[in-house]
């Protein structure tokens, strides 16, 4: 996807690389509901262009079970994935949306969301090869909620 960011004197002054500046101005958040397989079918229909993003986040939540996966491009075509598991996201999905809106594309939106998620004690990152597609990146975490569990998956495609 080739998106040209709007001109903004504030953003021009920001010390961001061109891709970070572009995607901080055009982040995406997708909330999908249903059982894991229904959510994965919906994911297959979305063009998430994961390889274009330096930072992305997956939040999953069902009754009594919540997970966060924080993906950050590392060396080459690999991603470092930090993880948290608990009982509730305690409004983190909505807070990501609020953070994006307050950021106004000025600062690195991925770093802003990293700060927001600091209240969740993440397990040290594991480095993995870049996923071939969104299903490859997210299916394991989504399926961990159980076959017929009604759940929400929030995909934040940041910088």
């Amino acid at each position: 996807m080739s998106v040209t960011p709007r001109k903004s004197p504030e953003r021009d002054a920001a010390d961001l690389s061109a891709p970070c500046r572009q995607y901080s101005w055009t982040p995406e958040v997708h909330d999908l509901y249903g059982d894991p397989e229904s959510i994965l079918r919906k994911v297959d229909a979305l063009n998430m262009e994961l390889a274009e993003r330096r930072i992305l986040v997956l939040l999953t939540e069902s009754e009594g079970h919540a997970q966060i996966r924080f993906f950050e491009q590392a060396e080459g075509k690999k991603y470092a994935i930090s993880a948290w598991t608990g009982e509730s996201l305690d409004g983190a999905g909505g807070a990501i949306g609020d953070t994006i809106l307050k950021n106004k594309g000025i600062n690195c939106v991925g770093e802003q969301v990293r700060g927001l998620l600091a209240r969740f004690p993440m397990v040290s990152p594991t480095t993995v090869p870049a996923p071939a597609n969104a299903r490859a990146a997210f299916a394991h975490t989504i399926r961990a909620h159980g076959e017929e569990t009604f759940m929400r998956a929030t995909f934040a495609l940041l910088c």
Side-chain angles (χ1 to χ4, degrees):
M1 172 166 95
S2 179
V3 177
T4 304
R6 293 179 54 198
K7 297 290 182 196
S8 165
E10 297 166 45
R11 286 187 326 104
D12 289 342
D15 185 23
L16 302 175
S17 67
C20 189
R21 185 170 37 252
Q22 172 181 330
Y23 288 112
S24 284
W25 187 253
T26 61
E28 298 177 26
V29 178
H30 303 274
D31 273 336
L32 302 177
Y33 295 83
D35 65 83
E37 292 309 313
S38 295
I39 289 173
L40 290 172
R41 281 193 299 276
K42 293 173 189 179
V43 164
D44 290 341
L46 293 172
N47 183 10
M48 291 191 180
E49 297 180 341
L50 301 183
E52 302 297 319
R53 305 287 179 156
R54 182 177 69 88
I55 294 178
L56 37 125
V57 178
L58 170 64
L59 309 174
T60 59
E61 191 168 28
S62 58
E63 189 175 333
H65 186 189
Q67 295 178 295
I68 298 173
R69 298 291 180 268
F70 188 92
F71 295 74
E72 183 171 15
Q73 267 188 352
E75 72 242 16
K77 297 280 185 180
K78 295 183 179 183
Y79 278 85
I81 304 171
S82 301
W84 173 87
T85 300
E87 292 182 11
S88 171
L89 294 172
D90 196 29
I96 287 175
D98 292 343
T99 298
I100 291 169
L101 195 56
K102 288 176 187 169
N103 188 54
K104 300 177 188 174
I106 295 169
N107 298 304
C108 176
V109 72
E111 296 302 327
Q112 300 298 312
V113 170
R114 179 195 313 274
L116 168 77
L117 296 176
R119 65 186 168 119
F120 296 94
M122 302 255 188
V123 174
S124 296
T126 302
T127 302
V128 299
N133 54 45
R135 180 180 280 259
F138 305 131
H140 179 74
T141 303
I142 292 168
R143 287 183 175 136
H145 286 264
E147 269 185 44
E148 298 194 23
T149 301
F150 190 82
M151 62 179 293
R152 172 179 50 207
T154 301
F155 306 86
L157 311 177
L158 303 168
C159 58

